[in-house]
Amino acid sequence: MTAAERSERTEAQWDGCQVIYPEAPPTGRAKRLIHVNGVTSPYASQLRDLEVLVWQTLDYPFDILGVHNSTAGFQADFLECLMQRAELAQFWQEQAVAKPESRTRLQAYAAMLQALSDQELDAEVDILQVLQALRAGPLTTPGLLDPSLIRSLPFLQKMDLGELQSYFYQEYPAGAPRPTLRLAYEIVRALRAGAEVFVLAHSQGTLSAAVAFHILSQFFGDYQRWASSVHLIGYGPAILFEDLPVPMRAQTVLIQHREDLVAESFSNLRSVSAWATLQTQVRRALERVEELMRLVNTESHHSSGFYLGLVDHAYSDRSLKLIQTLLSEDWNTSPLLQALRATRVILETSGSLR
């Protein structure tokens, strides 16, 4: 695809596609950095973030690519996050044991990944359309989660969570199916190439990463050595450690600023698996949309730029330096990284780490 053709693509058409900083295309290096963007972050913003990562890793170069999580505005993005949180809660160990359908759903996702992983996918293809072509199934690919549609659904109160997920996403992963499946695909391909994989995810991107890791756990079965070659660095995270499969928890560091109220609210959202709770969150999101939007704008502590050193702020620089350390040092031998593994690092306004 030419540069002109790329410029004509809509934001929705980038959903689940690769994003490559043109000055630093992948060359087959031993380490691969996969970036997943968060809420209200368009293609241009993610391309900017990739440029930052390229320049900040010149001394220890990676093959760097993005998996784009397209934005449809704050309301839709926020509701997608809630759907992903609800799905992740059902994969918690106690829930998976109590509800066999959770395992059945993961098995279906792993089957999709198996079909995809045997293909050489174009960087900018619609991954769900590829799946439909491979399966020749009757399902239509899900569109955007429309808050006004949710508000107007007369049968909303009568639907359980599974029914709502099926209504919007058919049998695909809830919330952000294209980025989730593309990320799982890119990780499998990188591992097959013998690469060490670093997933750097912001905000909603951490939700997609967590779902992808559950799919990978099912895909690889009981063979958990895959996780030893994969690391997750989540900044402005919207997940809990309980959301991750057990093998990935020690491979993860989460970075959150004390004043990042979006990350803080999702960290406290522990009972979203209950459908009544999700209904309440949907209603509140629609009622408080203007207030919540202020929390994710470019001036907030939740923005990607704050965490990647693009803002003149002491904590912004410290966050970037911590991310650089997590990318440059050996996770198996560095005493600092050994101490940070399976930790949520809280950055205080004063500039201190806790």
Side-chain angles (χ1 to χ4, degrees), residues 31-35 50 53 57 62-66 196-200 233 327:
K31 292 186 177 183
R32 195 161 304 179
L33 174 57
I34 306 175
H35 178 269
L50 293 180
L53 294 171
T57 57
F62 290 77
D63 274 355
I64 296 179
L65 62 91
E196 184 178 10
V197 181
F198 290 76
V199 177
L200 181 63
I233 304 168
L327 292 174

Side-chain angles (χ1 to χ4, degrees), residues 45-193:
S45 294
Q46 187 177 24
L47 191 61
R48 174 210 65 186
D49 293 347
L50 293 180
E51 180 178 8
V52 171
L53 294 171
V54 167
W55 285 103
Q56 294 299 329
T57 57
L58 287 177
D59 293 336
Y60 34 92
F62 290 77
D63 274 355
I64 296 179
L65 62 91
V67 169
H68 190 60
N69 170 36
S70 71
T71 179
F74 178 75
Q75 284 182 295
D77 290 359
F78 189 77
L79 292 176
E80 279 189 353
C81 290
L82 291 172
M83 296 300 294
Q84 286 178 293
R85 288 293 290 115
E87 173 132 272
L88 280 171
Q90 295 177 76
F91 297 152
W92 286 23
Q93 286 184 307
E94 62 272 18
Q95 292 288 340
V97 171
K99 297 181 178 180
E101 60 268 25
S102 299
R103 181 62 55 190
T104 300
R105 186 164 54 255
L106 274 177
Q107 289 170 347
Y109 298 164
M112 295 179 190
L113 179 58
Q114 181 64 63
L116 291 168
S117 66
D118 293 332
Q119 308 295 314
E120 190 73 41
L121 295 184
D122 183 82
E124 293 157 0
V125 73
D126 185 329
I127 201 164
L128 297 191
Q129 289 186 3
V130 172
L131 269 175
Q132 290 207 304
L134 290 172
R135 298 157 66 199
L139 292 177
T140 57
T141 56
L144 297 172
L145 186 63
D146 186 347
S148 62
L149 177 59
I150 286 187
R151 196 201 307 257
S152 65
L153 286 178
F155 47 89
L156 177 64
Q157 299 296 329
K158 298 180 181 179
M159 297 178 76
D160 63 25
L161 178 59
E163 288 172 334
L164 186 70
Q165 289 176 334
S166 178
Y167 183 85
F168 281 104
Y169 301 107
Q170 291 88 51
E171 59 187 32
Y172 299 109
R178 292 175 176 86
T180 299
L181 290 170
R182 170 68 82 164
L183 175 60
Y185 168 85
E186 296 293 350
I187 293 173
V188 168
R189 300 286 287 191
L191 291 176
R192 287 180 176 175

